[in-house]
């Protein structure tokens, strides 16, 4: 009788192992989601961006958008890119009034280990010498490196250290009206900044595949950031930003 019961006990143990494994995977998934630092799909009504946000389900500490200059807008439709989950509308910034548009949103202070940032960016009128960047903090100076289309480069994507005289690292790719997925890796331990354009979604891009790399200023490495800032200026037209995400892993950018 005892021998006949063994298959029954084995099946019970097997079922228990499957259930515990599923719970473990669910817990791991919830932990990964907790690593998200900032998420924005601009799922707001068309009109002024100022005062919108934070979106439902955003990470603790994320704040509403504030217009710091010009008149940033919520624009329809949103950008779409096959490697990134998309929802809602988008943010449109340009040179309305000749002053350029600037918008800022706060988040829980970041400044240790590795932080990944990703955003979609599209130029709406090809050909200019201006800028369309994601930056940080006060948006100027040694604690505000710039990522995106860099001023005075013929619309090349790259990194600018944010100070004068500037130190830059540029890609060979210029904005051309198509949607680009700009991915930035900030390593506050080593002081490295890397920019990837349209990386593969299959796995974390290796440092050596970055199209632009630039050391952090000592000030930025020491201070980190507590605000994400979007800036567009000196352009003939406007730029559209969408699906802005920050997290502690590359996978946080594709959600």
């Amino acid at each position: 009788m005892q021998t006949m019961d063994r298959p029954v006990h084995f099946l019970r143990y097997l079922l228990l192992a499957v259930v515990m494994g599923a719970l473990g995977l669910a817990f791991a998934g919830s932990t990964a989601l907790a690593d998200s630092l900032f998420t924005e799909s601009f799922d707001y009504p068309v009109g002024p961006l100022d005062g919108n946000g934070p979106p439902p389900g955003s990470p603790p500490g994320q704040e509403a958008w504030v217009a710091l200059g010009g008149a940033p807008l919520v624009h329809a439709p949103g950008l779409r890119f096959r490697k990134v989950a998309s929802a809602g509308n988008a943010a449109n910034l340009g040179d309305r009034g000749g002053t350029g548009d600037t918008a800022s949103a706060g988040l829980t202070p970041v400044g240790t280990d590795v932080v990944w940032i990703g955003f979609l960016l599209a130029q709406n009128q090809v050909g200019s010498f201006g800028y369309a960047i994601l930056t940080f903090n006060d948006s100027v100076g040694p604690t505000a490196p710039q990522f995106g289309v860099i001023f005075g480069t013929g619309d090349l994507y790259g990194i600018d250290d944010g100070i004068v005289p500037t130190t830059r690292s540029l890609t060979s790719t210029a904005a051309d009206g198509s949607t680009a997925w700009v991915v930035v890796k900030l390593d506050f331990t080593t002081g490295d900044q890397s920019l990837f354009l349209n990386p593969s979604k299959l796995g974390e891009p290796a440092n050596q595949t970055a199209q632009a790399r630039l050391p952090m200023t000592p000030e930025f490495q020491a201070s980190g950031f507590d605000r994400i800032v979007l800036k567009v200026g000196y352009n003939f037209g406007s730029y559209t930003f969408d699906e802005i995400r920050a997290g502690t892993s590359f996978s946080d950018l594709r959600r």
Side-chain angles (χ1 to χ4, degrees), residues 75 77-81 90-94 119-126 131-132 148-149 157 174-182 232 235 237-242:
H75 168 85
L79 298 177
R80 297 294 180 263
F81 195 75
N92 182 267
L93 287 78
F119 59 99
L120 301 181
L121 183 60
Q123 185 185 54
N124 299 318
Q125 184 171 335
V126 177
Y131 57 86
V149 176
Y157 289 96
D176 61 2
S178 61
T179 298
W181 186 30
V182 183
V232 172
N235 289 289
S238 63
Y239 279 82
T240 299
F241 293 81
D242 203 359

Side-chain angles (χ1 to χ4, degrees), residues 25-203:
L25 287 174
F27 180 78
S30 64
T31 302
L33 285 172
D35 292 336
S36 178
L37 303 170
F38 189 94
T39 179
E40 182 60 86
S41 293
F42 299 101
D43 194 8
Y44 311 122
V46 171
L49 175 60
D50 184 66
N52 280 297
S58 58
Q62 185 169 333
E63 299 175 356
W65 289 98
V66 177
L68 301 180
L73 298 173
V74 177
H75 168 85
L79 298 177
R80 297 294 180 263
F81 195 75
R82 60 185 176 82
K83 300 179 182 181
V84 180
S86 301
N89 290 317
N92 182 267
L93 287 78
D95 260 336
R96 300 171 185 90
T99 60
D101 289 343
T102 305
S104 170
L107 74 163
T108 299
V110 177
T112 59
D113 302 321
V114 172
V115 176
W116 290 86
I117 298 172
F119 59 99
L120 301 181
L121 183 60
Q123 185 185 54
N124 299 318
Q125 184 171 335
V126 177
S128 71
F129 63 95
Y131 57 86
I133 55 172
L134 181 148
T135 182
F136 307 113
N137 301 324
D138 295 327
S139 76
V140 294
T143 64
Q146 304 171 3
F147 307 93
V149 176
I150 304 301
F151 178 74
T153 65
D155 298 339
L156 291 177
Y157 289 96
I159 308 172
D160 189 307
D161 64 6
I163 60 179
V164 178
T166 61
T167 301
R168 296 169 168 177
S169 177
L170 302 175
T171 72
S172 60
T173 302
D176 61 2
S178 61
T179 298
W181 186 30
V182 183
V183 172
V184 175
K185 180 182 180 182
L186 303 173
D187 191 329
F188 286 96
T189 301
T190 63
D192 293 325
Q193 303 173 112
S194 303
L195 184 144
F196 309 85
L197 277 181
N198 306 325
S200 169
K201 64 179 180 179
L202 298 180

